[in-house]
Amino acid sequence: MKKTLLMLAITGLMISACGSPKQKEVAKAELPKSGDRIQRGEFLVATLGCNDCHSPKVMTPRGPVPDPDRLLSGHDSNEILPEYDPQAVGGYVLFNMNSTAAIGPWGTSFAGNLTPDATGIGFWSEEQFVKSIKEGKYKGLDNSRPLLPPMPWEGYSKLPDEDIKAIYAYLKSIKPVKNIVPQAIMPGT
């Protein structure tokens, strides 16, 4: 049972990492010039794989793909994670089937809502967004907790500010989705 649970989590992560057809279509396109910030931001979101973790999935004949009605809306607030035995997973990391929640030594983290809804980044300033990516600050706020794994902010922090601002511009242009993502669960709580 323990090995089956681990294998299901790994398989789900690998399948969702393949991305949606839209992501692959955008990724094949020529890199947009920085003059069209929204188009460049869309390209960067697709190629950096933001939908892999920040979008709930729907099952298709080829496996799970990002739900087009809930793109980038983060971990579904209605999804209850199943119980698990921490001793059974040892030093491994578990992902839910949507790849929107991860459990590891840091606790349980949930992918944030990146849509321009008030429950997402609707009230974030561009400066907060840049600080979140560049410094790994939760909600881009000083004195906040760090962004938790599996968010690879350390790698994304190397992006030029203009690219991070293009991502922000694109995210502010997409459909807002109301979804209050749960707070992270720290170890021992």
Side-chain angles (χ1 to χ4, degrees), residues 157-178:
S157 72
K158 310 280 188 284
L159 289 168
D161 285 1
E162 282 310 306
D163 281 348
I164 296 172
K165 291 175 181 180
I167 292 169
Y168 174 80
Y170 168 68
L171 294 175
K172 293 295 260 187
S173 77
I174 65 175
K175 178 184 96 173
V177 178
K178 183 175 182 162

Side-chain angles (χ1 to χ4, degrees), residues 89-106:
V89 298
Y92 290 93
V93 174
L94 293 177
F95 284 83
N96 68 334
M97 289 303 290
N98 281 315
S99 297
T100 58
I103 299 170
W106 63 87

Side-chain angles (χ1 to χ4, degrees), residues 1-167:
M1 174 67 180
K2 296 173 187 176
K3 288 183 180 179
T4 302
L5 179 63
L6 177 60
M7 291 309 297
L8 285 173
I10 291 170
T11 302
L13 177 61
M14 289 171 42
I15 289 170
S16 70
C18 294
S20 71
K22 171 107 173 125
Q23 281 181 296
K24 290 178 183 176
E25 178 183 308
V26 172
K28 288 180 187 174
E30 185 177 318
L31 180 63
K33 304 290 185 240
S34 59
D36 185 348
R37 289 180 78 186
I38 292 175
Q39 185 182 5
R40 184 172 178 83
E42 180 180 19
F43 174 85
L44 291 165
V45 164
T47 57
L48 294 173
C50 300
N51 278 303
D52 294 344
C53 295
H54 288 274
S55 293
K57 312 300 183 287
V58 293
M59 191 57 70
T60 70
R62 64 183 244 328
V65 298
D67 181 346
D69 294 327
R70 301 182 297 159
L71 287 179
L72 301 167
S73 64
H75 179 76
D76 185 342
S77 60
N78 297 311
E79 182 181 350
I80 306 298
L81 297 179
E83 293 291 323
Y84 74 99
D85 178 3
Q87 298 300 325
V89 298
Y92 290 93
V93 174
L94 293 177
F95 284 83
N96 68 334
M97 289 303 290
N98 281 315
S99 297
T100 58
I103 299 170
W106 63 87
T108 303
S109 53
F110 301 95
N113 181 345
L114 301 180
T115 73
D117 186 79
T119 61
I121 64 166
F123 295 120
W124 288 36
S125 68
E126 184 179 73
E127 179 182 44
Q128 279 178 274
F129 188 79
V130 170
K131 181 181 286 252
S132 179
I133 301 300
K134 288 287 193 177
E135 299 178 26
K137 297 285 188 179
Y138 177 66
K139 295 190 177 187
L141 300 172
D142 289 326
N143 302 316
S144 64
R145 69 163 170 79
L147 294 180
L148 299 173
M151 177 60 186
W153 71 268
E154 297 91 344
Y156 295 167
S157 72
K158 310 280 188 284
L159 289 168
D161 285 1
E162 282 310 306
D163 281 348
I164 296 172
K165 291 175 181 180
I167 292 169

